[in-house]
Structures are given as C-alpha cells and as structure tokens.
Amino acid sequence: MSLAILGVLILGILAGIYMPLGISSFLDQASSIMLLILLFSVGIDLGLNRQVFVQIRQMGLRILLIPVGVVLGSLCGGAVAAAILQMQVREGMAIASGLGWYSLSGILITEAGNPIGGTISFLSNVFREMITFISIPFLVKYMNSYCAIAPAGATAMDTTLGIISKNTDGKIAIIAFVSGVTCTLIVPILVPLFL
C-alpha cells in the first residue's frame, strides 16, 4: 500500500505539471469531497466498535499525553534541524510547529514577513504527511500501534486517519483523532509564538 501511495503521488505530480491551470479549482473541490467521504467511512468503522469509547473514557486526561509528546518531539526536531542547517532556532521551531498542517503554517510564517521560511514550512509539512503515509505500516509492524500517531501530527484527524485506522485498531484510531484535533487546535497558537 505504501508503494501504491508513493506511485500515485508521483503520477499526480507529473499530471500536475502538464495539466491546464483551470482544472485546479475542480481538483480542490473534488479532494475536499473525497476527504469528507474518507472521514465518514472511518467514522462508521469507529462507530461500529462501541467498546472503544468506553476505553477512551477510562483513559481520561492521559489521552492528551500523546499529542503533548507529538508537539514536544516536533519542536525538538525543529530545533535540531535549525542547528544543523544553521538557521535561527526560533525559525526552525516555528516551521516544525506546523505539525503537518502545511496550508496554515506556511501562510502564517509568510505573512509574518518570512516567505522563505513559509515555503520551507509548507514543504516540510507536506513531506511530513507523505512520510507518514509511507511509514505507518512499518512503524506498526516493527514498533507498536501508538507509534503510528506521532508522525501524523495534526493530520491524524483527517488525511492520515484512514491509513492509521487501516493499520491499527479502533482504539488507536480514536486516540489518533483526539491527538490530531489537539495538534490542530495548537498550531495557530504555536506557530506565531516562535515568529
């Protein structure tokens, strides 16, 4: 499945290079509709497993440990990457604060007067999502199901939730959704904090 995703992505890039520009607005609408269908089908799958919600309720606030770990890990990764690339640490952490939400983080950084940082943020968060799609089956197989949540970041509530759900179980999918929602809510606060 990971190879199929990578292959389809490459075909999409090639199609985008040669596609007339007028089609892009249609593709934006189509991808939004497909995302909603994906979320609906994942929701049905989660709803069928009623025992999962009981387990989540039993976890209580401990469920927030995963998104906290995702945020802290991302910020540490941003600081390390900034040091390696000889950037300002704050800029590296602002870029990493996107947590996979490329459409927002890139814009926030660009509007703050750093178009290069905004572009880097956009690309790094797009790559984060692509790497998530490819790595989840391997993380689940060779590590554990909880490890599938971290690379997804904010996308665990939408675009990568399907592959997390497919490779794990209902309980992990619910935890991933909660983690994704939490990360999504914190991105608009976190990115400006480091600008």
Side-chain angles (χ1 to χ4, degrees):
M1 185 63 178
S2 298
L3 292 175
I5 290 169
L6 185 59
V8 168
L9 178 68
I10 291 169
L11 286 174
I13 291 170
L14 293 173
I17 291 171
Y18 298 107
M19 189 176 292
L21 293 177
I23 296 177
S24 64
S25 63
F26 164 76
L27 290 177
D28 285 341
Q29 291 175 342
S31 63
S32 295
I33 291 168
M34 286 185 270
L35 178 59
L36 292 174
I37 292 169
L38 170 71
L39 288 173
F40 182 71
S41 62
V42 168
I44 289 173
D45 186 44
L46 295 175
L48 289 172
N49 189 353
R50 289 172 181 82
Q51 191 62 25
V52 168
F53 294 101
V54 173
Q55 294 171 344
I56 298 300
R57 195 175 314 119
Q58 290 171 348
M59 289 183 73
L61 290 177
R62 288 182 297 159
I63 198 168
L64 296 178
L65 289 175
I66 290 178
V68 167
V70 170
V71 170
L72 292 176
S74 297
L75 292 176
C76 289
V80 169
I84 291 169
L85 298 172
Q86 298 178 347
M87 299 169 58
Q88 291 182 356
V89 173
R90 288 178 62 93
E91 184 179 14
M93 292 174 80
I95 290 167
S97 294
L99 303 174
W101 190 358
Y102 53 83
S103 56
L104 178 66
S105 59
I107 291 169
L108 289 175
I109 294 171
T110 299
E111 287 180 352
N114 187 351
I116 294 172
T119 303
I120 293 169
S121 177
F122 174 81
L123 290 173
S124 69
N125 285 295
V126 166
F127 290 140
R128 179 178 184 153
E129 186 172 322
M130 289 172 35
I131 290 167
T132 299
F133 277 115
I134 294 166
S135 67
I136 283 177
F138 299 103
L139 291 171
V140 171
K141 184 176 180 181
Y142 296 109
M143 295 183 84
N144 64 53
S145 296
Y146 292 97
C147 291
I149 300 171
T155 66
M157 68 173 267
D158 48 39
T159 55
T160 60
L161 182 59
I163 195 160
I164 292 170
S165 178
K166 181 178 186 287
N167 287 278
T168 61
D169 58 29
K171 179 182 177 183
I172 300 298
I174 290 283
I175 294 170
F177 182 80
V178 170
S179 178
V181 169
T182 306
C183 289
T184 298
L185 291 173
I186 202 166
V187 168
I189 299 165
L190 211 53
V191 174
L193 188 67
F194 294 106
L195 295 176

